[in-house]
């Protein structure tokens, strides 16, 4: 028997929902009968929302949003929030890599950092601030941040990305503590390795720096990585993250807050 996650008719906002992991998260919420708003800087978001809406039980719509623009995020909060609003769950899944190979770290410049921090960290901070008042009045619900296993291991591949993800895990814990008296939960998911445009950009930055004889196809590079670092020996999928996201939003996870769940095939194991 399927677990009833009781998300039908709840409002859900997914920032970074046009593609990849965010889109899969939105799809899983739509499958549960939630009303979903996809917000993304990519104008494709409206098309992605229309396609999802065609088969969804609830309503799915798209909104073009640059999460690094606080005024724009606040405008979306006043549009979606308020007394009559059904919005209960917010997911921050927007993210970027530096598109540079940062090993060793001095191969990058300090000037490569701000953009990566802006999108991965400040976008999430903007969203938490803009929706804080709505969530307090809501008196229920959740906020989820998509971090990364890079947050927990000082990943040498992309230092500003790694640092931004560590910061978001830390901020999530503050959000969880401050929202707890309002019965609003906050958590993070740290995905492992998922074949999205972002993952491909990590390979592209690496490959560009290799000598001709060391260059690899994306599939070979990725396959070798998975074999060497992932105990389960397989890729994670956007759907894996989507399913964990709806679980964390649901009452089944009613006592889970301030946690980072690694959906990574066992790459990271902490005692
Ligand atoms: N792919 C992986 O292996 C992996 C691993 C760990 C963590 N993650 C994280 O998962 C999340 C989703 O990444 P993905 O792999 O699906 O990448 P993706 O590039 O497929 O999707 C990221 C989405 O964020 C959007 N976005 C970027 N900047 C934005 C902005 N300023 N405002 C609004 N939207 C913006 C993009 O347009 C895109 O639709 C990111 O936070 C990423 O860091 C991915």
């Amino acid at each position: 028997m399927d677990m009833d996650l009781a998300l039908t008719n709840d409002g859900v906002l997914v920032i970074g929902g046009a593609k990849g992991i965010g889109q899969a998260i939105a799809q899983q919420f739509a499958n549960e009968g939630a009303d979903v708003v996809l917000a993304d800087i990519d104008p494709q978001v409206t098309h992605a929302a229309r396609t999802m809406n065609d088969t969804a039980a609830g309503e799915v719509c798209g909104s073009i949003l640059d999460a690094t623009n606080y005024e724009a995020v606040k405008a979306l909060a006043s549009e979606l929030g308020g007394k009559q609003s059904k919005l209960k769950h917010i997911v921050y899944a927007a993210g970027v890599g530096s598109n540079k190979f940062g090993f060793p770290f001095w191969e990058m410049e300090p000037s490569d950092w701000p953009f990566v921090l802006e999108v991965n960290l400040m976008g999430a901070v903007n969203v938490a601030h803009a929706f804080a008042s709505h969530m307090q009045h809501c008196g229920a619900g959740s906020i989820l941040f998509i971090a990364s296993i890079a947050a927990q291991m000082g990943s040498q591949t992309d230092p500003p990305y790694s640092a931004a993800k560590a910061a978001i895990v830390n901020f999530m814990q503050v959000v969880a503590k401050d929202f707890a008296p309002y019965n609003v939960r906050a958590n993070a998911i740290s995905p492992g390795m998922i074949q999205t445009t972002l993952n491909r950009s990590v390979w592209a930055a690496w490959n560009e720096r290799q000598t001709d004889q060391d260059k690899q196809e994306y599939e070979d590079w990725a396959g070798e990585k998975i074999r060497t670092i992932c105990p389960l020996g397989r890729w994670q999928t956007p759907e894996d993250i989507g399913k964990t996201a709806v679980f964390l939003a649901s009452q089944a996870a009613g006592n889970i807050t301030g946690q980072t769940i690694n959906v990574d095939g066992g790459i990271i194991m902490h005692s």
Side-chain angles (χ1 to χ4, degrees), residues 14-25 39-45 63-69 73 92-97 115 118-120 123 145-151 161 165 168 189-202 218 235-236 238 241 263:
V14 182
I15 299 113
K19 56 183 172 293
I21 293 170
Q23 186 184 27
I25 290 171
D40 202 293
I41 199 168
D42 183 344
Q44 275 296 321
V45 68
S63 179
I64 298 172
L65 174 80
D66 178 356
T68 67
N69 178 343
V73 180
Y92 191 80
V96 291
F115 173 67
E118 272 297 311
V119 179
N120 293 296
F145 300 97
I146 304 304
S148 168
I149 52 167
Y161 177 81
K165 294 298 188 178
I168 203 61
I189 295 177
S190 282
M193 295 264 293
I194 303 183
Q195 298 192 11
T196 60
T197 48
L198 193 145
N199 188 266
R200 198 171 260 274
S201 74
V202 174
Y218 173 64
W235 283 90
Q236 288 72 66
I241 311 304
V263 181

Side-chain angles (χ1 to χ4, degrees), residues 108-144:
M108 287 176 79
E109 292 296 327
S111 60
D112 292 321
W113 282 60
F115 173 67
V116 183
L117 294 175
E118 272 297 311
V119 179
N120 293 296
L121 175 61
M122 291 315 298
V125 172
N126 288 343
V127 169
H129 277 264
F131 286 89
S133 150
H134 171 73
M135 293 312 281
Q136 287 166 56
H137 288 113
C138 203
S142 69
I143 179 158
L144 174 68

Side-chain angles (χ1 to χ4, degrees), residues 97-101 157-158 161 196-208 218 221 225:
S98 68
N99 291 324
K100 301 213 168 151
F101 188 58
T157 312
D158 194 343
Y161 177 81
T196 60
T197 48
L198 193 145
N199 188 266
R200 198 171 260 274
S201 74
V202 174
W203 158 79
W206 172 86
N207 207 40
E208 197 186 277
Y218 173 64
W221 169 85
K225 235 184 165 152

